[in-house]
């Protein structure tokens, strides 16, 4: 039999593969299955909302299916909730211009085992790396104190996190205090990079 063309309705939602955000940054999806995100431009990244549910998910235009992120050197911050709920995100490269990591920015990104923050990062907001299920080590390249804002007790509340590594003993000591924002993570702080991890006490 034949179905008349007027009897069938087909609808589809097309996902954008690139664009410009309200703050003027550019983004594009490429790689296998268009899951590799590149963000460029100059200036701070805006804050994004999220959808609620078993896992909160970002409302950023690139969605939550991404597996890899590269942030250009001109970007100066990672916005609130920018990548929250990107459960397949396994790799993030953060440009040398980023100075702050926003609230819940890299929350529930469950495939990452390590994250390296450039020397420019001096501020990390609460819940920034919370709930990242496989995250074991965070390397922070800054040579001095790094501020944790808000409820700092959950900035790195990832179940399998073992080490937060600063580049040298002086930097580790600057953040190893009996009181203050880093007290919760004192037993995880280390100094040294690569294969050498040195516990530093004060």
């Amino acid at each position: 039999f034949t179905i008349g063309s007027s009897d069938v309705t087909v609808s589809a939602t097309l996902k954008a593969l690139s664009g410009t955000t309200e703050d003027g940054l550019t983004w594009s999806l490429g790689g296998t299955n268009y899951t590799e995100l590149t963000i460029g431009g100059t200036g701070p990244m805006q804050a994004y909302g999220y959808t609620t549910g078993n896992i909160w998910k970002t409302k950023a235009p690139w969605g939550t299916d991404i597996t890899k992120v590269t942030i250009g050197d001109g970007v100066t911050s990672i916005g609130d909730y920018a990548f929250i709920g990107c459960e397949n995100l396994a790799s993030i490269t953060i440009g040398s211009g980023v100075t702050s990591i926003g609230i819940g920015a890299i929350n529930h990104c469950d495939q990452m085992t390590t994250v390296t923050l450039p020397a420019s990062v001096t501020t990390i907001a609460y819940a920034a790396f919370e709930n990242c299920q496989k995250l074991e080590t965070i390397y922070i390249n800054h040579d001095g104190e790094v501020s944790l804002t808000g409820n700092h007790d959950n900035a790195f509340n990832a179940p399998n996190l073992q080490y937060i590594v600063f580049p040298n003993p002086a930097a580790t000591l600057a953040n190893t205090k009996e009181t203050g924002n880093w007290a919760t993570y004192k037993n995880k702080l280390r100094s040294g990079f690569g294969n050498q991890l040195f516990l530093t006490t004060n």
Side-chain angles (χ1 to χ4, degrees):
F1 63 91
T2 302
I3 299 177
S5 60
S6 61
D7 297 327
V8 178
T9 301
V10 177
S11 62
T13 300
L14 300 179
K15 180 179 178 180
L17 298 180
S18 64
T20 302
T21 62
E22 293 178 5
D23 48 27
L25 299 181
T26 60
W27 64 274
S28 62
L29 293 170
T32 304
N33 298 322
Y34 298 98
T35 61
E36 298 182 8
L37 172 67
T38 301
I39 299 175
T42 303
M45 186 186 300
Q46 70 189 70
Y48 289 99
Y50 54 84
T51 60
T52 58
N54 291 335
I55 297 175
W56 293 359
K57 294 183 179 292
T58 184
K59 289 185 177 180
W62 42 79
T64 57
D65 295 330
I66 53 177
T67 59
K68 180 180 180 180
V69 173
T70 302
I71 299 173
D73 292 340
V75 180
T76 58
S77 68
I78 298 179
D80 296 352
Y81 309 113
F83 306 112
I84 189 171
C86 294
E87 298 176 79
N88 296 316
L89 181 58
S91 170
I92 183 167
T93 300
I94 301 172
S96 61
V98 172
T99 61
S100 63
I101 312 294
I103 300 167
I106 308 174
N107 187 310
H108 239 311
C109 298
D110 293 338
Q111 299 304 311
M112 292 189 301
T113 58
T114 63
V115 174
T116 299
L117 304 185
S120 54
V121 172
T122 57
T123 304
I124 300 172
Y126 70 89
F129 295 95
E130 188 176 31
N131 296 318
C132 294
Q133 299 299 309
K134 294 183 180 180
L135 184 61
E136 296 179 351
T137 306
I138 296 176
Y139 297 98
I140 302 177
N141 279 287
H142 191 63
D143 280 334
E145 290 190 51
V146 175
S147 298
L148 303 182
T149 61
N151 182 5
H152 45 78
D153 286 346
N154 69 359
F156 305 106
N157 188 19
N160 292 298
L161 183 66
Q162 298 181 44
Y163 303 121
I164 301 171
V165 185
F166 284 87
N168 55 55
T172 308
L173 281 171
N175 293 286
T176 307
K177 300 177 180 179
E178 294 296 341
T179 59
N181 288 358
W182 285 89
T184 300
Y185 310 106
K186 183 174 181 179
N187 292 334
K188 296 182 185 295
L189 294 181
R190 301 289 189 273
S191 59
F193 273 59
N195 294 323
Q196 295 183 344
L197 299 174
F198 302 102
L199 175 63
T200 302
T201 58
N202 59 352

